[in-house]
Amino acid sequence: MWMHIGIKDIIDILLVAFVLYQTYKLMKSSGSIALFSGVVSFILVWILMSRVLEMRLIGAILEQIVGIGFFVLVVLFQDEIRRFLLALGSHRGWKFISRLFSRKTETDNEQKFVAPVVLACMNMARKKTGALIVIQQDVVLTVYEHTGEMFNADVNARLIENIFFKNSPLHDGAMIIADNKIKAAGCILPVAQNADLPKDLGLRHRSGLGMSMETDAIVIIVSEERGKISVAHMGKLCTNISAEALQQILSKEKVVSDFC
């Protein structure tokens, strides 16, 4: 006999499918897809044994494991959970709602840094000068700013190039830009441990990707060896980005995934 399925049941199924799909994408990008598949397989076995076949003994054992396993999953997938919450919190719909209650005007949000950053990246790529530039979004980066030298300077292409000049004491670290100001330089960023990254990508690319996994910042990487521009955002790294594409990403006309 078929059970009655209402609108709420359909919405429930769609929500579960959406969450599973988003979780799958996060696990795939972080290289944890095998672990995710194992967890899903275990849950299916648990449902089959305890709910469908009604095996009480093994069902009770599996239920105890599931109860403890929740805390284990939080530890195992803490990076993925953080990224999921960041993706949820930075969704355009939520941003639109937050703007309704914000007193900032459009002129306050003008992205004056875009042109000088793009120009500086073009020049540094041509000269094969390595650079790592972090553009703050919704997540405040104060913790990372204090790992380097603090600034409060207007964004200027020549200043950016001078900071990343190979003889500069700050050239090895990252620059952080927030609120149209250079807030810090020579900063230390978290390094991604993703084994799927190509071997020719160095520490700058791994640091840029790691920062994009920990926060919602847009990270620009200029390769010293290849003279190419890469951009990392929300755990996704796109290499060989053109100046036009970089301008569109920073102006939020397009997202990083559009160029991958």
Side-chain angles (χ1 to χ4, degrees):
M1 182 177 179
W2 291 97
M3 298 178 60
H4 176 70
I5 298 178
I7 296 178
K8 288 196 298 183
D9 299 313
I10 295 175
I11 295 175
D12 188 20
I13 293 171
L14 291 176
L15 286 175
V16 171
F18 174 76
V19 171
L20 286 176
Y21 175 68
Q22 294 297 327
T23 305
Y24 171 80
K25 288 204 305 182
L26 284 175
M27 295 300 171
K28 186 176 180 179
S29 63
S30 63
S32 304
I33 188 63
L35 188 58
F36 173 71
S37 300
V39 172
V40 172
S41 299
F42 179 83
I43 293 175
L44 292 176
V45 170
W46 168 56
I47 294 175
L48 178 64
M49 296 295 182
S50 61
R51 307 300 183 190
V52 179
L53 300 180
E54 297 184 351
M55 296 183 177
R56 296 182 180 179
L57 180 58
I58 192 170
I61 295 173
L62 291 176
E63 284 181 4
Q64 294 298 321
I65 296 175
V66 169
I68 301 173
F70 173 78
F71 299 100
V72 175
L73 290 177
V74 171
V75 175
L76 288 176
F77 296 116
Q78 55 182 330
D79 292 335
E80 286 75 13
I81 292 172
R82 185 187 298 111
R83 287 172 57 195
F84 177 79
L85 294 177
L86 282 173
L88 184 63
S90 61
H91 194 273
R92 293 178 181 177
W94 299 116
K95 288 182 179 179
F96 174 76
I97 294 175
S98 66
R99 289 193 190 104
L100 294 179
F101 298 94
S102 176
R103 295 182 179 179
K104 289 184 177 181
T105 62
E106 291 185 2
T107 55
D108 293 328
N109 295 324
E110 285 181 0
Q111 297 166 326
K112 300 176 182 177
F113 67 91
V114 174
V117 167
V118 173
L119 178 60
C121 289
M122 288 174 57
N123 293 335
M124 290 186 293
R126 187 178 66 254
K127 299 174 184 176
K128 292 190 175 181
T129 300
L132 187 57
I133 303 174
V134 181
I135 311 297
Q136 178 178 293
Q137 301 299 301
D138 293 331
V139 177
V140 178
L141 306 177
T142 307
V143 174
Y144 300 99
E145 291 173 8
H146 287 287
T147 64
E149 296 294 328
M150 301 296 293
F151 281 77
N152 191 26
D154 292 332
V155 181
N156 180 279
R158 182 167 295 181
L159 176 59
I160 295 174
E161 293 179 52
N162 287 336
I163 289 175
F164 287 110
F165 181 66
K166 64 179 180 180
N167 292 329
S168 168
L170 301 175
H171 80 281
D172 278 335
M175 173 186 291
I176 296 179
I177 296 176
D179 300 324
N180 291 314
K181 296 284 186 179
I182 298 176
K183 294 293 186 178
C187 302
I188 300 173
L189 305 184
V191 179
Q193 303 298 327
N194 195 332
D196 296 334
L197 283 176
K199 300 297 182 183
D200 60 334
L201 297 182
L203 185 60
R204 278 196 182 92
H205 289 82
R206 292 185 177 274
S207 297
L209 180 60
M211 188 66 169
S212 74
M213 296 171 69
E214 294 287 336
T215 70
D216 64 342
I218 298 175
V219 188
I220 307 168
I221 308 103
V222 181
S223 173
E224 186 175 356
E225 293 78 16
R226 298 178 296 128
K228 300 293 184 181
I229 301 173
S230 303
V231 180
H233 187 229
M234 299 306 293
K236 184 176 290 293
L237 177 66
C238 292
T239 58
N240 299 335
I241 294 292
S242 66
E244 182 182 359
L246 178 60
Q247 187 273 332
Q248 291 176 333
I249 291 172
L250 296 182
S251 301
K252 299 189 178 176
E253 298 173 9
K254 292 187 178 180
V255 295
V256 174
S257 57
D258 292 336
F259 302 98
C260 293

